[in-house]
Amino acid sequence: MSGPPPVVYLDNAATSWPKPPQVVDAMRRFLTEVGANPGRSGHRLSVEAARTVFRARAALARLVGLDDPMRVVFCANATHALNLALQGLLRPGQHVVTTGMEHNSVMRPLRALESRGVELTVAPCSPQGVLDPEDVERALRPETALVVLTHASNVVGTILPVREVAAIARRHGALVLVDAAQSLGALPSTLPDLGADLLAFTGHKALLGPMGTGGLVIGERVDLARFEPLVRGGTGSRSESQAQPDFLPDKFESGTLNVVGLAGLAAGVEWILERGVADLRAREARLTATLLTGLAELPGVRVYGTRDPDRQLSTVSFTIAGTEPGEVGRRLDEEHAIAARVGLHCSPIAHETMGTFPVGTVRFAPGAFTTDDDLARALAAVGALARAARR
Ligand SMILES: Cc1ncc(COP(=O)(O)O)c(C=O)c1O
């Protein structure tokens, strides 16, 4: 029986799909067998729910190379985690440095803080999305409190030199916040290795968990007394007090957590730890090379970024001469059952850097379950659209 071809899903930079079966099983198990609120009651189901949260915390601490799971604070997503760090740490009169490749989850809170008296400098990147650490050093001032940068671009996958930037920032007494929304799970990235102080992550991309999960990893150099929570309220701890707890993670985790999501996230991170981030990265680098080589061979197709699989994630951006990205995306979906993302990818500043603003690009983002056959189909489809545009 022939039906429509199954969808080739190349939108893993937006959210990963499919998820490992273990993720689905863990969420189903929590909902059917546990279901209680963690840390709020003393009964066995509440204790089991607390264990589920701890399992996610412990798995993430292992992944980011920290001994203390309490330094992992859960949030709804990376946007929430980035807002917590930026709004919680920066004060009027302080200076913050960021880069020309950031997502709006960094730029929008920074622009809002700028309007309230925080000074902002954007260190430029090359049109390939490459950041020279010296440009960050040139931007630093005595009152620079924070450098915030993405680990890897969500538009072209370019890996930014976090370790070098962190070493510079440290010499100047500034903290470093890494937006690891794209990289955690896809690139070996421990906090000690990167030399960073804070790392914002999302659960639903390379960590293979569900939407509605994410968090902020808080390193030891961060002064908790000067770090304000975004939200205050019930934590299940110190119930006798009307004041917000001042310890981790409770200071920043008011309100009932998404425990069913965290059950799935724990399973996703454990799946990654079992396979090893380095091995997953090697597999994705091979897929990236296939994609980059295949696209480069198609007349009329322009690929952006470094075009070097060792210097980028599997996210690849391209355009087809004579066809708007929006139209390419529509035809990929309707005529070829290929799911890609088009446009500005919530990163207008990155497209300004690359010279692709305001139209944007077409983005292919293979993931942990993308196959060679998927890429062959995607390349054939782009080839057909590129040929049609030249006729
Ligand atoms: C680099 C980067 N930062 C932040 C985010 C925001 O992540 P979330 O959707 O989990 O809030 C994304 C998501 O696309 C991203 O790619």
Side-chain angles (χ1 to χ4, degrees):
M1 211 173 66
S2 73
V7 172
V8 172
Y9 184 78
L10 293 179
D11 201 11
N12 287 276
T15 199
S16 56
W17 187 78
K19 310 292 182 185
Q22 290 87 336
V23 171
V24 181
D25 290 347
M27 294 175 76
R28 186 184 295 114
R29 182 180 167 266
F30 182 80
L31 281 173
T32 52
E33 295 175 26
V34 185
N37 202 323
R40 304 303 200 259
S41 318
H43 59 74
R44 69 191 70 185
L45 293 179
S46 176
V47 170
E48 184 57 26
R51 266 198 208 111
T52 304
V53 174
F54 187 77
R55 186 167 165 182
R57 241 189 262 290
L60 276 151
R62 223 181 114 200
L63 189 66
V64 299
L66 288 191
D67 293 333
D68 183 3
M70 298 305 171
R71 292 196 164 273
V72 178
V73 167
F74 287 123
C75 300
N77 44 48
T79 304
H80 178 190
L82 287 161
N83 271 270
L84 166 58
L86 295 171
Q87 297 191 51
L89 288 166
L90 291 168
R91 302 282 171 275
Q94 289 184 327
H95 177 235
V96 54
V97 177
T98 192
T99 84
M101 286 305 285
E102 300 305 312
H103 191 274
N104 265 347
S105 293
V106 168
M107 291 316 298
R108 285 180 173 171
L110 284 181
R111 290 297 180 200
L113 285 164
E114 194 180 24
S115 72
R116 289 185 235 138
V118 172
E119 304 269 322
L120 169 64
T121 304
V122 179
C125 294
S126 76
Q128 287 73 41
V130 175
L131 174 70
D132 180 346
E134 284 183 11
D135 281 324
V136 173
E137 182 140 39
R138 270 189 281 278
L140 292 173
R141 302 182 195 161
E143 68 276 19
T144 307
L146 186 74
V147 176
V148 48
L149 77 168
T150 190
H151 191 182
S153 160
N154 63 305
V155 179
V156 274
T158 318
I159 299 165
L160 270 65
V162 172
R163 196 176 299 123
E164 292 79 354
V165 167
I168 291 168
R170 203 163 264 221
R171 277 205 306 277
H172 290 260
L175 294 175
V176 174
L177 164 62
V178 178
D179 175 358
Q182 292 292 333
S183 59
L184 196 61
L187 275 183
S189 28
T190 67
L191 209 63
D193 231 35
L194 294 173
D197 300 292
L198 299 123
L199 185 142
F201 65 90
T202 196
H204 66 95
K205 299 186 199 266
L207 294 180
L208 304 173
M211 297 175 199
T213 59
L216 185 67
V217 180
I218 302 176
E220 282 173 3
R221 286 206 318 155
V222 178
D223 181 356
L224 288 187
R226 292 196 194 180
F227 189 175
E228 290 290 310
L230 266 187
V231 177
R232 293 176 176 82
T235 55
S237 57
R238 301 268 162 92
S239 283
E240 74 289 355
S241 171
Q242 292 180 31
Q244 185 71 10
D246 57 1
F247 52 86
L248 287 174
D250 298 31
K251 180 169 183 176
F252 304 110
E253 276 185 1
S254 291
T256 300
L257 289 170
N258 174 9
V259 188
V260 62
L262 294 177
L265 178 59
V269 176
E270 285 164 5
W271 189 93
I272 289 164
L273 287 167
E274 256 170 50
R275 279 146 191 87
V277 179
D279 284 3
L280 292 169
R281 162 87 182 132
R283 182 181 184 278
E284 276 201 18
R286 196 178 54 69
L287 293 176
T288 313
T290 305
L291 205 46
L292 289 169
T293 314
L295 288 171
E297 283 167 1
L298 300 174
V301 173
R302 176 165 176 200
V303 182
Y304 297 85
T306 64
R307 288 173 281 178
D308 177 349
D310 292 331
R311 295 170 70 197
Q312 68 168 86
L313 296 184
S314 58
T315 300
V316 171
S317 256
F318 65 93
T319 48
I320 297 179
T323 314
E324 293 250 314
E327 175 66 4
V328 174
R330 187 188 64 74
R331 294 186 62 184
L332 283 172
D333 180 29
E334 290 178 5
E335 297 169 16
H336 301 275
I338 287 164
R341 183 163 174 195
V342 298
L344 296 174
H345 318 98
C346 299
S347 299
I349 196 170
H351 285 280
E352 281 167 14
T353 295
M354 292 160 50
T356 44
F357 186 85
V359 176
T361 54
V362 185
R363 185 181 75 181
F364 278 173
F369 297 99
T370 305
T371 62
D372 289 325
D373 281 355
D374 290 338
L375 293 192
R377 249 181 75 189
L379 288 168
V382 176
L385 295 183
R387 276 193 303 281
R390 289 162 75 85
R391 277 203 285 272

